[in-house]
Amino acid sequence: MIRAPETGRPRSPAALFGRHRERLPAEPEDYRGPTYYGQPALKPSPWTWEVATYMFLAGLGGSAQILATAADLLGGPGARSVVRHGRYLAVASSVLGAPLLISDLKTPGRWYNMLRIFRPTSPMSIGSYILTTFGGASALAAAGQVLADRAGGRDHSMLARVAQIPAALAGAGMSTYTAALLSATSTPLWAAEPRLLAARFACSAMATGAAALSLAEQSDGGPANSRTLDQVALAATAAELAISVASDRRQRERGVGRPLRQGGWGAAHMLGAIGLGAGLPLACYGLNLVRRRRSRALSVAASLAVLAGGMIMRHAVLHAGQRSAELPGEYFRLTRSAGR
Amino acid sequence: MTAVHPRALEYVDSELDGVIPDESELTAGTRIEPGKSYGFFTDTTLCIGCKACEVACKEWNALPADDMRLTGMSYDNTGGLGANTWRHVAFIEQISRNGERATEMTPFQSNWLMMSDVCKHCGNAPCLEACPTGAIFRTEFDTVVVQQDICNGCGYCVPACPFSVVEVSLIDGKAHKCTLCYDRMKGGLEPACAKACPTDSIQFGELSDLQERAERRVDQLHGQGAASAYLYGAPGGPGATGGLERLHAFFLLTDEPEVYNLPEAPSRPANRVAPSLASGLATIAGLGLAAAALLAFAGRDER
Amino acid sequence: MEAIDGRAPFIMIADGRGSLFVPSGLKDAPLPTHYEPVESPVRNPFYAQQDNPVAKKWEREGNPYHEVGDPRFPHVLTTYRLTEHHAGATPTRSVPHTAELQPEGFAEIPPELADQLGIETLDWVVLATARGEIETKALVTERLRPLEIDGRRIYQVGMPWHFGWIGYATGDIANVLTSVVGDPNTSMHENKALTCSLRAGRLPRPRRSAA
């Protein structure tokens, strides 16, 4: 039997190693020096959607706990529902998040070894303890909240009031340590601008926490609370947008971050994280500010958009980062000494 | 006068003097004792690309073969280091320079570079600093090893490594890399790759000895006209930058590091922890204060 | 008889030394001269005698030789060894640790010839000699320099001869291409000086390997 010659087979050695990767077009600041047959000079982290989803939940829950605590200490009587929603959201995020992390481990049966030592140089070690503290304290705060709810809602639960302080402090950690986790690696996209990445994650955490609470208030609570929470989300989203723009510019100058600007994840980031996560909510919040009567629909739409955008942003940063580790040019741009 | 391992003293002197090797001959004249720092000096100008190091390592550690596929990367069909490959010989053909094809191979393989890559066993090892379970630790020989009975496959060491060395195996779900033959060293033997290397391109020994030897070799090469020879991974030099201190497995190279797939100036990832946390916490604090203010004002409006 | 000193390497000769003038013992003595291999793309530039007149030839079916400068086989073909495999390589191709070092057969081709024929590294190519054809993968390398002989440019193609179809590392068999010609004294076969043709593509036969 005569067969036609094969066509379209991979030519480059890089393409041979299993994965069929999209080609990203070159940019002016790109690396033009030597590489080893275009082979990756780093290995990407072996993490999957579970870690990205956990990062989203951690930020959301951590900030929700902070907002709940602030509402408990400073808010008026109308803000009790915010307190209640926040405490339940916080514990839910840790109850959902921890199994996701355990499932991502390649030997999940040994998950408890994360608490075997404390290593201050490792954000994963620091984070394991932050998660444990946050989970435990949030559980106590939520338990206290349940007791208060059972008792008729007017009693402020002492248990919850005490537990919420360490929970909120740990919640601040939950909102930010995941960025330190990404930056304390050699992956170019994550290591290039650690401060901006951390600020961005913090803003996203606060925005998603406030948006989730605002949604909860719209359905079961007070629309007045929703207004306040929308203001918080507006501030956080605006700050996040500014930081994203600054970060993008810095990365372009340094010749890194192409996978977040181009290709599939670049599109997801632009449309999902920037457009859906910042542009649409800011427009909705802005409209609601100038209207005489607040629109419930705009508030709900903005909250959903912030949540979707936050989720997409975490996934885009994770996957684009893994892709950047496989581009030798990105890494060598960062590691060549000045003048080469 | 070669040093004698303490175990050798337990045995009666051989009647066939010099025929049965002294213990120290098994370790290339190095005495292996806990508490000292050991490593590799890989002189790529001596490498003949035989890959005996790759095979010896795989045989000693019972590692499975990787992909069985021609890569087209000269004679390098291994590609790079990974969970199942702890020694990797790189081949770079440089027959043409400036568009001119060489008609004679200049000495010290400047036209066909061969380099046996390995885990660098960094002084401030990023994989060790990243490991949250403590599976990765520093041995009594100052080398970096992953304890297989503790690792839970979190994979954090993988992106931390600036040299693309350690990898989580999909076969057993744990991280693997060169152990500098920790088991052999405990038994008074030099690592398998150094033992197998026929040209002594891979030299094993105490770090201070190796450093001295390497510096002398660089001077010698410069004297013989190989001006591009330099050390990669020596303290203060390329490869040992950014807080990594020094690479216990360091190299003598004759071309830019990127040609061998090495970064010129890698950095210690742990240096980024504090700035990142500070920035993030400051941002949360700022936003938290703003939120607190908004909630307080809203509360006041209510009353 | 005096023992041969350690610096005389020709251990099969009484005094351990090789000679240019050999009065007896060799069929093509007493002085060496240049002969072209039995298969050559060019005429012998020194003498009218093209190749060794006392070379052992087996002119029979299945072992055809071709005329000098046959245009069907314009390139020089040589076979050689790789470090990673040993001879027929049945042991080294069957052991994963050595097989993965050179997992597939290939032919090394100079870039000028590869450009002419539109061949890139890892493309399938067909090598043919007067005895037969095989298919193998191409490795384009500058280590093979074109030869300029008598005003003509002649390309060299090189191929490791270790491969076969049993084991982890596989490839078509180079010895399909070689000719049976023997050295007049040792009968050592002349399988490192051949001529061949080269083209991109594969042979029309059932596939043995997946890729």
Side-chain angles (χ1 to χ4, degrees), chain C residues 134-176:
Chain C
I134 59 168
E135 61 175 14
T136 186
K137 284 197 174 164
L139 212 63
V140 178
T141 171
E142 287 185 326
R143 287 178 284 110
L144 287 164
R145 273 215 321 270
L147 305 170
E148 309 283 346
I149 304 174
D150 221 10
R152 262 174 70 196
R153 173 168 266 206
I154 312 254
Y155 293 110
Q156 308 177 75
V157 174
M159 184 169 177
W161 53 275
H162 300 292
F163 293 92
W165 287 104
I166 305 294
Y168 296 106
T170 56
D172 247 353
I173 299 166
N175 283 353
V176 164

Side-chain angles (χ1 to χ4, degrees), chain B residues 166-225:
Chain B
V166 63
E167 191 182 36
V168 173
S169 164
L170 295 176
I171 300 174
D172 73 352
K174 307 205 202 65
H176 294 271
K177 69 174 194 67
C178 162
T179 59
L180 233 150
C181 281
Y182 186 31
D183 47 355
R184 284 178 64 101
M185 284 177 69
K186 276 193 183 269
L189 300 174
E190 63 175 331
C193 53
K195 179 75 183 166
C197 181
T199 57
D200 258 353
S201 168
I202 301 176
Q203 296 167 35
F204 165 78
E206 264 188 73
L207 226 42
S208 44
D209 279 344
L210 292 177
Q211 181 68 25
E212 234 180 284
R213 222 186 288 170
E215 284 167 5
R216 265 185 282 130
R217 175 66 176 163
V218 172
D219 288 336
Q220 179 194 25
L221 285 171
H222 286 173
Q224 289 176 317

Side-chain angles (χ1 to χ4, degrees), chain A residues 76-287:
Chain A
R80 294 317 310 166
S81 55
V82 175
V83 177
R84 192 170 79 250
H85 291 140
R87 287 173 179 164
Y88 291 151
L89 255 181
V91 72
S93 78
S94 46
V95 162
L96 286 173
L100 281 174
L101 286 185
I102 293 174
S103 155
D104 181 78
L105 294 176
K106 305 301 181 279
T107 306
R110 290 185 187 163
W111 63 270
Y112 49 82
N113 279 347
M114 292 302 201
L115 299 173
R116 194 175 157 268
I117 56 155
F118 175 64
R119 191 158 264 166
T121 53
S122 169
M124 194 177 275
S125 181
I126 299 171
S128 303
Y129 288 93
I130 292 177
L131 177 60
T132 307
T133 310
F134 179 74
S138 295
L140 288 174
Q145 184 65 41
V146 167
L147 291 174
D149 287 350
R150 290 257 181 86
R154 288 212 47 107
D155 274 341
H156 295 275
S157 161
M158 210 53 221
L159 172 62
R161 283 216 127 172
V162 167
Q164 75 184 352
I165 304 298
L169 292 171
M174 289 287 275
S175 303
T176 61
Y177 92 87
T178 49
L181 181 87
L182 295 180
S183 292
T185 62
S186 300
T187 299
L189 182 69
W190 303 336
E193 300 292 333
R195 290 186 173 88
L196 288 176
L197 187 70
R200 185 173 187 185
F201 270 36
C203 291
S204 177
M206 188 56 78
T208 49
L213 284 174
S214 171
L215 262 184
E217 291 303 306
Q218 286 287 8
S219 69
D220 162 46
N225 290 331
S226 203
R227 181 165 150 267
T228 316
L229 290 163
D230 280 355
Q231 287 167 351
V232 175
L234 166 62
T237 305
E240 193 197 338
L241 182 61
I243 292 167
S244 316
V245 169
S247 177
D248 178 76
R249 202 174 57 226
R250 276 289 289 152
Q251 288 184 350
R252 263 181 218 269
E253 279 168 26
R254 299 182 70 183
V256 298
R258 271 176 35 220
L260 200 59
R261 293 194 290 276
Q262 302 172 345
W265 286 108
H269 179 252
M270 182 53 68
L271 295 171
I274 305 288
L276 187 60
L280 180 61
L282 287 175
C284 293
Y285 290 139
L287 273 176

